Structures are given as structure tokens and as C-alpha cells.
């Protein structure tokens, strides 16, 4: 497979290809799905009446698959991610992560997480931030150090290991946060608009970097974004959500070849624009009705 | 760059001080002000030189009370803040008491405390300094312990960190800058309150006592010389806490918060 040209959709059947039909039989027979969401609802009680953040959501993310959640702001993307991460509990339905309840998966350190805010500890060096999960889970000093060095090299920040986070730019901080999320080589990575605060140039750079890192680790990714091109560029499938109540409106297969093989050249490709249009239409309704996609970044 | 900063931080304030002293001297001499209005810097300087030993002894006595008061106040404040942060009920129960302590002028309690602990002991002064330094340290430290950013809280939960780990890794380092801003305030008020408490009774040593007796014998330049001693103690306390703060926060790579 060429590294520059996007592979054709037919290469989906290749052995290393994680993308495929969402209901392919081996998803259930060979290994547990990375994430299994069944009829999940989340209702928030508030003084001015209940808010239904999620209503009857079904979603399966297979092991090694890159899935983006996109939709107007307030449609429950973050809520869904927090449910998967066991930072919140559903009011209805059921979730599993690698076949286990989310709290068990969390205790088991099955997933890494990154938020829009890098959330680095300002009093620790960059290296010590990357080492944090390893330190908390009892990895020895030497092994921690080696792993942090390796990861910082991968995200191109080897020279900044002993800097403090506030000496780094926003993009660099976010790369440290990603390195930290990957520290324990999780088989699932949860990301909530991690590049939302970055400028366009930096953003495209870290997107490609993320794809490369992810291809090496083979982790499944659930990626929240409000940028259509970002979702298309990164994902095997794009889950388009609608608001009030938050529901899955449509799942768009991207099928631009293995996400790990994608490069910046893809952004100029006709197929890429084709998928961008497909996602945009899914967001706005097929007749191109406006209004539904408000709050979604068209960049 | 470095030289320019040194100039701004050291030379400029010293220069300003010298100019102010000269202006002061010129005003007193030029307007022929009487010493009870305000004595000239040279007159005060003379007294400082003549009575250096007594002034130092009085300053030492006040400083010692302020120091022990500060130490006890800070220790109790840290303990109380830790308990309040851990047990919500304690915080809620003690909030009115802390608020009362913050608004009631504790030095006004000095006469009562002198009767309680005996007028010949320094205890009442130390207790006043301790109570007064307790408040800012307690309030700030508790706020610091409560201020954990949501993203850090989420992160520690995802890592399935134990309560102890979260405290060590996130809560305590985050609270340190808050503690130090409380400590800085406490250091100043400890000196002031230890000194002012002397006005209300107790043993005859200390700067407060010395100032009142100098004024009552109409030796105004000497009274001002004692005031200069108080300024020096205040500065020493302030600089010591600042140095401690810089040392600790720098060593632990802790960022200073405003
Ligand atoms: N903790 C909460 N309490 C009350 N309402 C919430 C809470 N979290 C989210 N919501 C509501 O749920 C809806 C979905 O929020 P969110 O998942 O953050 O949306 P998104 O990430 O897609 O922008 C919004 O209407 C929001 O106001
Ligand atoms: Mg969100």
C-alpha cells in the first residue's frame, strides 16, 4: 500500500484493515467490541425541567476502529464519551467496554483519555506528566522514564522533557496530553475535542501525528469533534448525532483506506471531499435543510 | 536584561527611599516642625544609634512572640484546613466561627487574655498572634484544597487513582500556592498583632510597650526609632516567608498563582 495515495475502498477486506461493516459477524465472535452502547439514555435533572442529553443511543466500536462523534453542540457527544469513560452513569440502557462494565474497564486501565484542555499538571515537568499514569499504577522508575522518553520522541517533544507545561504552546501541550493518554498502551483511546483549541495549521499536523501513533498502537479510538474534515480525515466511521434529544442520526462509513495509512495528501483528494459532503448532508438532512447543523464547524 | 532587572528590583527602591528621606529631612528642617509632630530622620537616627541595644532587645521580644504565634497559628490552620477539606460537616459547622474570628479585632481580646494567662507571661500575646495568623492561612489553604480543576479530577478518576494518590499528586501541590499567599498575609498580621497586644498590658518588654513609654516621656524621636525596629521585624518576616515560598515552589516546579 502506498503511503501517499489513499487506498481504495476495496482494500477494506485486507487483513489489517480495521474498518468494515458495523455489523460484521466476527465483531462478536472473535473478540469483544471495544465499546458497545445499547439503548443508552442520559437525563439530567435541572430546575427548569429535565434535559435529555442522550436518548436511546446504540453504537458499536470494534477493536482497533477509529470512530468520530460529530453533531451540533449540546447533542450529547461529551456526555456519551463520559459514559464510556465511567465519568458518568447512564439513566437507561447499558454500556460495555471490551465486554465489561465501564467501571471495571476503568479499574483495569483499559482506556486512555484526552480532553479539549490538555489538563497537564503545571507543577510537574513534561516528562513527569507523561509518566503520571504509569506512576499511579506502580510502574518502576526506570521503565517509566524509558516509556516517557519513547513517547515524547514519538510526539516530537524529546527536547522538551524537562520543560514545564506552561513553557509549551497549546499544540505542544496537547501532544503531551496525547502521549500521556498513550502511556499505558491502552486498547481504547477516548478523546473529547482534543484539537478544538488549536489553530488550523497545528491542527492538521497533530491529526496526522495522531493517526501515526494510533496505527502503531492499534488502539480503538472514540473521537469527539465538531469539524467535519477532521472527522473524515481521521475516522473509519463518522457517527452523526442530532440534538434535543441527543440521538444517533446516521453513521457514515468513510472507507478511505486504513486510517493509519492516511497522509496530508488525502485532504486534497476527491474521495475525501465526497465523504465530507456525505457527512455534511447527514448532519443537515439529505435535502440540505439548514439549521440542524448549527454549531458544527464547516472548515 | 539581568542587570536591568536588578536595577528595577534593588537600586530603584533604594534610590526612592533615599529621596524620600531627604525630602522628609528638608520638610522638617524647612518648616521647623516640632518633634511631637514629626521628628527628622537624623534625630531618629541618633536615637537608633544611641539606644541600639535596647531597641534590638525590644524588637527581639516582639519578634519572638510574633514568631511563636505565627508558627502555632499556621500549624493549627493547616490541621484544621485538612480536616475541613476531608469532612464537609466540620467545614459547615466551623464556618461561622471562622467568619467571627476574621471580623472581630482579636487584639481587643488582649486584656481578657492577660487575665486568663497572667499579666507576667507572654502567652496572651502569642495567643493573639496565633489566632490572627490562623485565619488567612486556614481560609486560603482550605480554598486551595477545594480548588481541583475538573479536568484533573476527571483524569484521576479515569486513572482509578486512590484518594491518597489524588491528594498527593493533585490536591496538595495545587493548594500550596494558596497556602503561601495566606502565609504571607499571616506573617505581617502576626507581627502587627503581637506588637499591638502589648498596648493592652502584660510584661514591660517589647516594642509596643517601649513606644508607649517613649511617647509618655515625650521622647518622640526615640518612639520613632522603636517604630523603625518594628518596620525591620515586619520586613524580616515578610522576606522569610517569601524566600520559603520561592524555595518550595521552585524546587517542586510549582507555578505561582496570583
Ligand atoms: N452535568 C450536567 N448537568 C446538566 N446538564 C448537562 C450536564 N452535562 C451536559 N448537560 C446537558 O446535556 C446536553 C449535552 O451536553 P454535551 O454532552 O456536553 O454536548 P456536546 O458535547 O455534544 O456539545 C446539553 O444540553 C447540556 O446542557
Ligand atoms: Mg462537548
Amino acid at each position: 500500500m502506498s503511503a501517499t495515495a489513499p487506498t481504495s475502498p476495496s482494500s477494506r477486506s485486507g487483513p489489517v484493515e480495521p474498518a468494515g461493516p458495523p455489523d460484521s459477524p466476527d465483531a462478536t465472535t472473535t473478540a469483544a467490541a471495544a465499546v458497545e452502547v445499547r439503548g443508552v439514555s442520559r437525563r439530567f435533572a435541572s430546575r427548569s425541567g429535565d434535559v435529555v442529553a442522550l436518548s436511546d443511543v446504540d453504537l458499536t466500536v470494534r477493536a482497533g476502529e477509529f470512530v468520530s462523534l460529530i453533531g451540533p453542540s449540546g447533542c450529547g457527544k461529551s456526555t456519551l464519551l463520559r459514559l464510556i469513560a465511567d465519568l458518568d452513569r447512564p439513566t437507561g440502557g447499558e454500556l460495555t467496554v471490551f465486554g465489561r462494565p465501564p467501571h471495571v474497564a476503568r479499574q483495569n486501565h483499559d482506556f486512555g483519555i484526552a480532553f479539549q484542555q490538555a489538563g497537564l499538571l503545571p507543577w510537574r515537568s513534561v516528562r513527569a506528566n507523561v509518566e503520571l499514569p504509569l506512576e499511579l499504577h506502580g510502574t518502576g522508575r526506570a521503565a517509566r522514564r524509558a516509556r516517557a522518553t519513547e513517547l515524547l520522541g514519538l510526539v516530537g517533544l524529546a527536547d522538551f522533557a524537562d520543560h514545564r507545561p506552561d513553557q509549551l504552546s497549546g499544540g505542544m501541550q496537547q501532544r503531551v496530553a496525547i502521549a500521556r493518554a498513550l502511556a499505558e498502551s491502552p486498547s481504547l483511546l477516548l478523546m473529547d475535542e482534543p484539537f478544538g483549541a488549536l489553530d488550523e495549521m497545528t491542527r492538521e499536523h497533530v491529526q496526522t501525528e495522531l493517526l501515526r501513533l494510533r496505527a502503531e498502537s492499534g488502539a480503538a479510538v472514540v473521537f469527539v469533534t465538531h469539524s467535519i474534515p477532521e472527522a473524515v480525515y481521521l475516522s473509519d466511521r463518522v457517527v452523526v448525532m442530532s440534538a434535543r434529544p441527543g440521538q444517533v442520526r446516521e453513521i457514515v462509513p468513510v472507507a478511505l483506506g486504513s486510517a493509519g495509512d492516511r497522509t496530508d495528501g488525502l485532504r486534497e483528494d476527491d474521495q475525501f471531499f465526497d465523504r465530507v459532503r456525505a457527512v455534511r448532508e447527514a448532519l443537515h438532512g439529505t435535502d440540505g435543510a439548514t439549521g440542524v447543523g448549527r454549531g458544527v464547524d464547516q472548515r | 536584561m539581568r542587570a536591568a532587572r536588578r536595577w528595577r528590583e534593588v537600586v530603584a527602591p533604594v534610590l526612592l527611599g533615599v529621596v524620600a528621606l531627604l525630602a522628609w529631612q528638608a520638610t522638617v528642617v524647612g518648616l521647623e516642625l516640632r518633634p511631637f509632630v514629626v521628628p527628622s530622620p537624623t534625630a531618629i537616627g541618633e536615637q537608633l544609634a544611641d539606644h541600639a541595644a535596647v531597641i534590638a532587645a525590644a524588637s527581639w521580644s516582639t519578634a519572638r512572640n510574633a514568631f511563636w504565634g505565627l508558627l502555632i497559628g499556621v500549624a493549627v490552620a493547616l490541621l484544621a484546613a485538612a480536616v475541613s477539606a476531608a469532612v464537609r460537616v466540620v467545614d459547615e459547622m466551623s464556618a461561622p466561627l471562622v467568619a467571627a474570628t476574621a471580623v472581630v479585632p482579636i487584639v481587643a481580646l488582649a486584656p481578657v487574655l492577660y487575665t486568663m494567662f497572667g499579666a507576667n507571661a507572654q502567652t496572651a500575646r502569642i495567643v493573639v498572634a496565633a489566632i490572627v495568623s490562623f485565619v488567612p492561612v486556614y481560609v486560603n489553604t482550605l480554598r486551595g484544597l477545594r480548588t481541583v480543576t475538573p479536568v484533573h479530577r476527571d483524569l484521576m478518576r479515569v486513572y482509578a487513582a486512590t484518594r491518597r494518590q489524588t491528594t498527593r499528586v493533585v490536591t496538595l501541590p495545587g493548594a500550596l500556592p494558596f497556602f503561601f499567599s495566606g502565609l504571607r498575609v499571616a506573617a505581617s498580621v502576626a507581627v502587627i498583632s503581637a506588637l499591638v497586644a502589648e498596648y493592652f498590658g502584660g510584661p514591660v518588654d517589647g516594642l509596643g510597650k517601649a513606644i508607649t513609654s517613649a511617647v509618655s516621656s515625650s521622647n518622640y524621636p526615640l518612639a520613632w526609632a522603636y517604630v523603625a525596629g518594628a518596620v525591620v521585624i515586619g520586613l524580616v518576616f515578610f522576606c522569610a516567608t517569601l524566600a520559603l515560598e520561592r524555595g518550595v515552589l521552585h524546587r517542586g516546579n510549582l507555578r505561582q498563582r496570583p
Side-chain angles (χ1 to χ4, degrees), chain A residues 82 86 106 136-137 166, chain B residues 154 157 159 165 252-253 255:
Chain A
R82 294 178 64 83
D86 190 42
R106 179 172 63 80
L136 292 175
H137 300 148
D166 58 3
Chain B
D154 287 349
R157 185 172 158 82
Y159 294 147
Q165 284 177 325
N253 252 349
R255 188 172 53 175

Side-chain angles (χ1 to χ4, degrees), chain A residues 16-19 27 30-35 60-66 98 187-188 214 218-221 236-237:
Chain A
V16 293
E17 171 56 59
T30 52
V35 180
T60 303
V61 178
R62 273 165 293 119
E65 191 183 19
F66 199 124
F98 296 109
S187 10
L188 172 64
R214 210 276 311 208
V221 184
D236 296 312
R237 287 187 297 150

Side-chain angles (χ1 to χ4, degrees), chain A residues 42-46 51-54 70-82 88 192-193 224-226 241 243-244 246:
Chain A
R42 180 65 171 100
R43 180 186 296 271
F44 291 105
S46 77
V51 177
V52 181
L54 290 173
I70 196 168
S73 66
C75 71
K77 306 181 292 290
S78 298
T79 303
L80 182 52
L81 202 80
R82 294 178 64 83
D88 192 10
D192 192 350
E193 301 192 27
V224 172
T225 177
H226 55 249
M241 298 176 67
R244 274 173 296 278

Side-chain angles (χ1 to χ4, degrees), chain B residues 7 12 37 53 55 68 71 97 103 111 114 125 142 193-194 203 231 235 238:
Chain B
W7 200 90
V37 179
I55 294 174
W68 287 115
L71 207 68
L97 194 67
V103 292
Y114 284 125
R125 296 170 182 172
L142 184 57
S193 58
V231 171
L235 278 176
F238 180 79

